[in-house]
Each structure stands twice: as C-alpha cells, then as structure tokens.
C-alpha cells in the first residue's frame, strides 16, 4: 500500500468517482487552476475540464443554493466552501433548503450534495478561519455530518458521502491535510455511521474526533508507559452516530473521556456523553463521564494562545490520570 | 384598452386563449376558497394569497413546457396551478391531509410537484433564485434543454441571494429566467421606501442580463416577454430578468390590516386593472368568447373547486407514525 496525505486521499476519492459517474462534479471558489485554497483540487481541472471543476464567484449564498438546485434535479455536486467558517453565508441553503426538502415535499425530493468544509484551528488563521462548528449541523435533521481523522478514512468516507442521496457535510481538518497514511489505490467505501476503534484498551475509552484522534493516540502511548490502557474510538461520522461501538467499549473500560476541538459548551461531546448517560451502559461506569473540549473563546491569533484554546496531548493525559484517580 | 396586444396578431388559438382565462379563474377561485376555509377554521397556520396576480402566474407559464421548471415563493399557489399542479392534491395539502402533495407535512409554502417541473414554493424570501440557478446548471451540464423560471417578489430583490444568483447565472450563461412580480409591497414595505431605483429590472444591467419591465396585469404582455426570455435561454444566450407590475388585492398574509396603503389605491387596481376582467373584455371584444361562455367557464371552475374541497375534507389525516419518515433518503 502507498502512503498518501489526507488531502491527496480526498482528491483521489473525488477523482475516482468522477471518472465513473458523469453526474458528479465539483464547484467552489478558486478550485480550478489555483487548486483551491489548500491545493486540494490541484490538477483536477486538467483532467476533468472547467465544466466539472467549476470555479465559482465568491458567492456562498448562490453557490450553495445552486448546488442544492443541481442536486435535486439529478446532479451530484460536491461543493467546496473555502473555509468552513464561510458556511454561515450558505446556511439558508443547507439548513432551510437541503435538509428540509425531502421531508417538506412529502418524501419526493432527493438532495445528493456533499459540502466540503475545511475547519479547525492550529494554522494561525485566527477567529474567522479556524472554527469547529460541526455541532451546529448535527442539530439539523436531514443532514449527515462526516469528520474523518486520517487519510484512509477520508478516502472511503468521501466515496460514501458522494454516493449518499442526502446532503452530507464533510468536515476536513486543516492540520490533517498533510498527514500521510496508508491508502489503497482502489476505490473503496467506508459506510457512514460506522465508528472505528483506533486503538484497543481496557481502562479508559476516549471518544475523539478529527485531529483529536491523533492527539488521543499520542496521549494513549504515553499513558501506556504509566500502565493506563486507553481505547480510542473515532466515530468518523457524527450523524449517523455509531452508538453501539461506543457502548461496547464503555462496558469494557468503565471510564469515558470525550475529546473534541469545538468549544466544549454546546459541543457534540455533550451529546455523546448524554447518550452514554441515558443508556444501559450507565451502570457500568466507575467514574463520571468527562468532556475535554475547546475553551469558550474565539480562536486567538497568537500561537501559544491558539494552542491553549483547544485540547492538546498533555490535557488529554491529565484528564486520563484524573479519571484513574492518579 | 388601446395599448393591449391585439389578439388577432397573437399566435394563439381561441382554445388556448380560453384556457389561459380559465387558469386565471381557477387561481382566483382557489384563493377565495382558501379564504373561506380559513375563516371557517379549517386551515391553520398562515397563507399568502395571490388574488390580483393571476396574469403573471399564468402568463409566465404559458411558454413553458412540462419539462421546464419553476421555483416559486411563499405566495405560490398561483404559480403551482399555472404550472399544472393538481388543485385537489394542493387543497388536501392545505388542509394537512395525507393525500396532499407533501403528505400534509409541507403546507401552503412548500408545495412541490417535481414530476411537472414545480421545484417548490419556498418559505425563505429569494431562496428560489439560487435553487433555480442550480436546476438550470443541471439542464446545461446534461444538455437537457429545459429552462427554469424563478418567480420572486420586489422585496426579494433586496436579498443577497438575488444579486449573487443573477451574477452566477450570467457568467455561466444559464437557461434561467428571473421573473419578478412587482406588486409594490414586501409585507408592509413600500417599494419606494425599500429601493432607490425606478425599476427592479434596472438591476439586471449590473450583471449583464437582458431585462425588461412590463405590465403584469395584461396576460399577453406577460406571455410575450416570457416567450422572448425562453427563446434566449433555449438558444444558449443566458438568463433574463423580467419585472412585471402587478398588485396583490389581499393583505400580505391572513393577519394584515393593510395600514401601509390606502383603500383608494386598492380600489383603483381592482376596478381598473383586474387582470381577469381585462382579458375577458378583450376576448369578448374580439369575439373569442361570449358572455354566456364566460359564465359557463365560471361554473366549471366552481365545480372543480367544490370537488377539490370535497376531496380534501374527506381525506385522512396523516398517521402519527409518519412524523419521522421521509427525513433521509
Ligand atoms: C429571508 C426572509 N426574510 C423575511 C421573511 C418574512 N417575509 C415573508 S414574505 C415577505 C415579503 C416578501 O415580499 P416580496 O418579495 O415583495 O413578495 P410578495 O409578498 O410581495 O409577493 C417577508 C418579509 C421571509 N420569509 N424570509
């Protein structure tokens, strides 16, 4: 198997699907010759041409609505929102249109659109280019929310997202773009709604998303030296959420830490914690469920402040020690 | 009447002309029936009636085929009927019945009939414009040959989605027609207080879009302008903007005391510029229809409406189990 970056894996996934399915096309600001703000679509316009690698004006309201209109009439557009923060301008089309259409038209419409959203902090872009707002989307019935944490998953999940007949919000983390991993050449799919156990363990279950999966794995390796065995679970998709894999792990470990980059307050970690608390596995818990999330602040510019705003490896280690009463 | 388009010069058969008149009468009757049902407490929520705007709805849809598409607005019953949406199923939807277009889950502002190219009414002002632009993109990319007509109001033209959509459709030369029903008000907002330009159509120039302002209460003028725009779209010449002047006789929705306009103004539009009366007189003057035939048409409309109400009232309410169906495909 080859190593390839998360960014390349997403590109390869889109390209492979586009070669087979004429209805799939991509659109977004500067995605043509420029290759998109992160270079993710580099070279795609050369292969597929400007009709299917469609450079758009800087018009989030129009391009998101246009993608939804195209999707409901038979295309399968993939829309790149340059930074996930700009999705606010597209929110009407995602929340009021794409998510509702099927239901309010009595089950007749299908909206197979993928919205790619580069999110997350750590790259020094400060408050308006670094947010993690995926929880907002999970609150809206009718949407699916995907958050891959490595190259292999990104490729397979992208395939599933494109094939899905529903609007799918595909959150990509900027800091993951250049991280390499093993990715098979062939075109494979990872179904939405299936979590992955990134590392097995017996003392604590960490449920982490996106870049936090990497940090949790690092923390787990450290903790292992202290004799604390951590299981790391990556839900991979927030909607649909694979609660079964999470519950099974909780039964095994009896301790839970949910780690996510988004502001802790009102974040998706609260949802995961509540699901566990409300379920039959509550009885298996030996300690209160803990959440480790972002500080409730806009993401600051200064690199030290920026780091302090979201969970780091050390924070995870500390929380785990506390959970073990150490 | 002298400035009306002479019917003798038009390319329409007498039957087609009578159908246009009939369709306008259906729309008016549908809306008046809704008003009654609402007063009787049989319809809940709100609704936005389009009485007085029948010529724009019907006229703009005349040049469209079944394959062509429309997007509509919160004031969408007329557009739907003009595009061929079944009156019975629409009535059932408004009464919240399972036989309705949306199984009772959509209601007045969410009627869609994808099979005949009605991509849906919309509760969000101006939202239909980018959606229609996207449908037009599908047509172009798959070479399907259909055009999309987006209805919207004068108020909607102040939304960002309007401006962004016109620009996008223009640079991509998409087969879309932006059709503005300028009825002078957006809720209570009088056009002169909300925009500082003479015509909404003037805005098309900013995006390099062919635009015109027409009298929206003369149906043949509407048909002609739309025909021109449809032809441009089919020839690959890109989008058009049509602004049609008209007037809504009723309040904005069911709870509007209409304090923002005078009764004299309303009277003038009703007496002098009723689109149905204007067209009827014209058809009579040119011997296309007789007074008796007109009465006969009215009876047919009434029978259709009675049947729709009967169908809707006797339909079942949706099962509670359907609450969470049709959320995901
Ligand atoms: C985005 C948005 N803002 C406000 C409203 C509330 N609203 C519904 S209809 C309307 C007036 C629209 O005016 P116009 O576009 O001229 O259409 P008309 O009602 O005259 O047909 C308003 C303000 C809404 N539904 N959506």
């Amino acid at each position: 198997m080859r190593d390839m970056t998360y960014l390349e894996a997403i590109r390869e996934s889109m390209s492979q699907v586009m070669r087979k399915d004429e209805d799939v096309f991509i659109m977004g600001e500067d995605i043509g010759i420029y290759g998109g703000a992160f270079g993710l679509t580099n070279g795609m316009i050369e292969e597929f041409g400007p009709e299917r690698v469609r450079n758009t004006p800087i018009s989030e309201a129009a391009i998101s609505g246009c993608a939804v209109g195209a999707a409901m009439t038979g295309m399968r557009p993939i829309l790149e929102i340059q930074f996930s923060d700009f999705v606010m301008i597209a929110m009407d089309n995602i929340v009021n249109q794409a998510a509702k259409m099927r239901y309010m038209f009595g089950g007749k419409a299908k909206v197979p659109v993928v919205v790619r959203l580069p999110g997350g902090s750590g790259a020094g872009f400060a408050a308006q280019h670094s947010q993690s707002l995926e929880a907002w989307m999970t609150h809206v019935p009718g949407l699916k929310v995907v958050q891959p944490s490595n190259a292999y998953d990104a490729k397979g999940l992208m395939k599933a997202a494109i094939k899905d007949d529903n609007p799918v919000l595909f959150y990509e983390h900027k800091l993951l773009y250049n991280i390499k991993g093993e990715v098979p050449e062939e075109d494979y799919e990872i179904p939405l709604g299936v979590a992955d156990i990134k590392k097995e363990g017996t003392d604590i279950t960490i449920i982490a998303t996106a870049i936090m999966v990497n940090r949790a794995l690092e923390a787990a390796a450290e903790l292992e030296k202290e004799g604390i065995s951590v299981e790391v679970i990556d839900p991979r998709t927030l909607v649909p959420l694979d609660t079964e894999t999470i519950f099974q792990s909780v039964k095994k470990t009896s301790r839970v830490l949910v780690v996510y980059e988004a502001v802790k307050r009102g974040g998706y970690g609260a949802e995961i914690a509540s699901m566990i608390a409300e379920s039959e596995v509550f009885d298996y818990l030996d300690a209160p469920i803990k959440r480790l999330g972002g500080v409730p602040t806009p993401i600051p510019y200064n690199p030290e402040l920026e780091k302090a705003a979201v969970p780091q490896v050390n924070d995870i280690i500390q929380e785990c020690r506390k959970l073990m009463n150490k | 009447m002298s400035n009306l388009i002479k019917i003798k010069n038009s390319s329409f058969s007498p039957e087609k002309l009578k159908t246009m008149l009939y369709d306008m009468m259906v729309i008016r009757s549908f809306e008046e029936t809704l008003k009654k049902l609402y007063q009787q407490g049989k319809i809940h929520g709100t609704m936005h009636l389009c009485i007085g705007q029948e010529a724009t709805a019907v006229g703009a849809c005349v040049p469209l085929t079944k394959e062509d598409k429309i997007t509509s607005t919160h004031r969408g019953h007329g557009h739907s009927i003009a595009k061929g949406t079944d009156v019975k199923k629409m009535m059932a939807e408004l009464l919240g019945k399972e036989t309705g277009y949306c199984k009772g889950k959509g209601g007045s502002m969410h009627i869609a009939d994808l099979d005949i190219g009605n991509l849906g009414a919309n509760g969000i002002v101006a939202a239909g414009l980018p959606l229609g632009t996207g449908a037009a993109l599908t047509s172009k990319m798959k070479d399907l040959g259909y055009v999309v007509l987006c209805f919207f109001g004068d108020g909607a033209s102040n939304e960002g989605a309007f401006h962004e959509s016109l620009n996008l459709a223009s640079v991509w030369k998409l087969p879309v027609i932006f059709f503005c029903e300028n009825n002078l008000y957006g809720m209570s907002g009088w056009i002169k207080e909300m925009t500082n330009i003479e015509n909404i159509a003037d805005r098309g120039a900013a995006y390099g879009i062919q635009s015109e302002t027409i009298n929206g209460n003369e149906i043949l003028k509407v048909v002609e302008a739309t025909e021109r725009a449809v032809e441009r779209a089919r020839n690959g010449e890109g989008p058009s903007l049509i602004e049609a002047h008209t007037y809504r006789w009723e309040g904005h929705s069911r709870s509007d005391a209409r304090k923002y306009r005078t009764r004299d103004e309303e009277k003038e539009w009703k007496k002098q510029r009723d689109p149905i009366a204007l067209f009827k007189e014209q058809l009579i003057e040119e011997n296309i229809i007789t007074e008796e035939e007109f009465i006969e048409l009215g009876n047919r409309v009434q029978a259709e409406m009675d049947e729709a109400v009967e169908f809707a009232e006797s339909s079942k309410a949706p099962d509670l189990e359907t609450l969470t169906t049709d959320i995901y495909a």
Side-chain angles (χ1 to χ4, degrees), chain A residues 35-63:
Chain A
F38 299 96
L40 194 140
T41 55
N42 261 335
M44 289 184 77
I45 193 165
E46 282 82 357
E47 178 176 356
F48 299 103
E51 284 282 304
R52 296 181 72 204
V53 178
R54 211 162 248 278
N55 250 345
T56 70
I58 308 162
S59 296
E60 288 76 10
I63 61 181

Side-chain angles (χ1 to χ4, degrees), chain A residues 22-23 25 27 51-52 54-75 89 92-93 96-97 99 101-110 140-144 164-167 239, chain B residues 69 89 93 100-103 105-107 110-115 119-122 124 127 130-142 144 146 160-161 164-165 167-168 171-172 174 322-329:
Chain A
E22 279 282 299
D23 293 342
F25 70 102
M27 58 194 274
E51 284 282 304
R52 296 181 72 204
R54 211 162 248 278
N55 250 345
T56 70
I58 308 162
S59 296
E60 288 76 10
I63 61 181
S64 53
C66 183
V68 174
M72 67 188 291
T73 49
M75 302 299 288
I89 305 168
D92 176 52
N93 286 302
N96 284 323
Q97 310 299 334
M101 222 147 237
R102 181 170 184 81
Y103 191 78
M104 69 190 187
F105 295 166
K108 278 170 298 186
K110 267 194 326 205
V140 181
L143 301 179
K144 293 190 178 179
D164 202 286
D165 279 336
N166 298 286
V239 180
Chain B
K69 312 212 180 296
K89 283 165 75 176
E93 185 59 35
Y101 261 102
C102 318
K103 303 177 190 163
K105 291 168 167 183
H110 307 298
I111 308 277
D113 187 355
L114 304 179
D115 296 337
L119 299 182
N122 213 302
I124 307 294
L131 295 176
T133 300
L137 178 62
T138 299
S139 177
K140 185 166 178 172
M141 289 186 77
K142 296 183 108 162
L144 298 173
Y146 68 71
E164 292 191 16
S165 298
N167 185 60
L168 189 64
V171 291
W172 287 354
L174 298 180
T322 66
L323 176 64
T324 52
T325 58
D326 292 329
I327 298 176
Y328 291 98

Side-chain angles (χ1 to χ4, degrees), chain A residues 140-169:
Chain A
V140 181
L143 301 179
K144 293 190 178 179
V145 182
V146 180
Q147 227 183 352
S149 69
N150 67 29
Y152 177 87
D153 289 353
K155 180 170 172 182
L157 289 166
M158 174 53 83
K159 167 93 186 285
I162 300 172
K163 271 182 59 187
D164 202 286
D165 279 336
N166 298 286
V168 179
L169 303 189

Side-chain angles (χ1 to χ4, degrees), chain A residues 62-263:
Chain A
I63 61 181
S64 53
C66 183
V68 174
M72 67 188 291
T73 49
M75 302 299 288
R76 306 187 83 86
I78 305 172
L79 173 65
E80 173 174 312
I81 297 287
Q82 202 157 66
F83 282 78
S84 76
D85 311 70
F86 311 158
V87 78
M88 257 64 85
I89 305 168
M91 217 56 165
D92 176 52
N93 286 302
I94 292 171
V95 176
N96 284 323
Q97 310 299 334
K100 311 276 192 284
M101 222 147 237
R102 181 170 184 81
Y103 191 78
M104 69 190 187
F105 295 166
K108 278 170 298 186
K110 267 194 326 205
V111 190
V113 58
V114 178
V115 185
R116 291 189 33 240
L117 299 158
S121 68
F125 292 126
Q128 294 172 334
H129 290 71
S130 306
Q131 293 168 86
S132 302
L133 299 174
E134 57 279 353
W136 288 15
M137 302 298 183
T138 66
H139 197 73
V140 181
L143 301 179
K144 293 190 178 179
V145 182
V146 180
Q147 227 183 352
S149 69
N150 67 29
Y152 177 87
D153 289 353
K155 180 170 172 182
L157 289 166
M158 174 53 83
K159 167 93 186 285
I162 300 172
K163 271 182 59 187
D164 202 286
D165 279 336
N166 298 286
V168 179
L169 303 189
F170 198 89
Y171 275 91
E172 299 163 11
H173 199 290
K174 297 182 202 81
L175 294 190
L176 291 172
Y177 274 146
N178 290 320
I179 297 182
K180 285 192 171 176
E182 284 191 352
V183 179
E185 237 154 294
E186 78 264 12
D187 177 7
Y188 60 91
E189 184 179 333
I190 295 175
L192 307 186
V194 180
D196 190 35
I197 302 172
K198 297 292 185 205
K199 179 193 165 297
E200 305 232 13
T202 51
D203 295 328
I204 301 178
T205 298
I206 295 185
I207 300 143
T209 50
I211 188 82
M212 292 303 153
V213 174
N214 304 41
R215 292 187 189 161
L217 288 171
E218 259 188 70
E222 273 307 305
L223 290 160
E224 205 84 0
K225 296 176 194 161
E226 301 171 17
I228 301 173
S229 165
V230 176
E231 177 143 304
V232 179
I233 294 183
D234 175 4
R236 298 196 287 203
T237 64
L238 302 186
V239 180
L241 181 70
D242 177 0
T243 46
E244 212 27 61
T245 301
I246 294 171
F247 291 170
Q248 287 310 322
S249 175
V250 175
K251 278 190 189 170
K252 184 164 75 168
T253 63
S254 312
R255 290 182 190 82
V256 182
L257 174 64
V258 192
V259 187
Y260 53 110
E261 172 165 348
V263 167

Side-chain angles (χ1 to χ4, degrees), chain B residues 224-238:
Chain B
E224 271 205 330
T226 314
E227 271 177 343
R228 283 192 287 275
V230 168
E231 198 179 310
R232 266 200 300 277
R234 291 212 207 283
N235 289 342
E237 291 167 54

Side-chain angles (χ1 to χ4, degrees), chain B residues 117-163:
Chain B
N118 177 3
L119 299 182
N122 213 302
I124 307 294
V125 167
L129 281 73
L131 295 176
T133 300
L137 178 62
T138 299
S139 177
K140 185 166 178 172
M141 289 186 77
K142 296 183 108 162
D143 206 11
L144 298 173
Y146 68 71
V147 307
V148 186
L149 186 138
C150 302
F151 286 105
F152 62 99
D154 45 292
S157 76
N158 296 322
E159 286 278 2
F162 163 88
H163 296 273

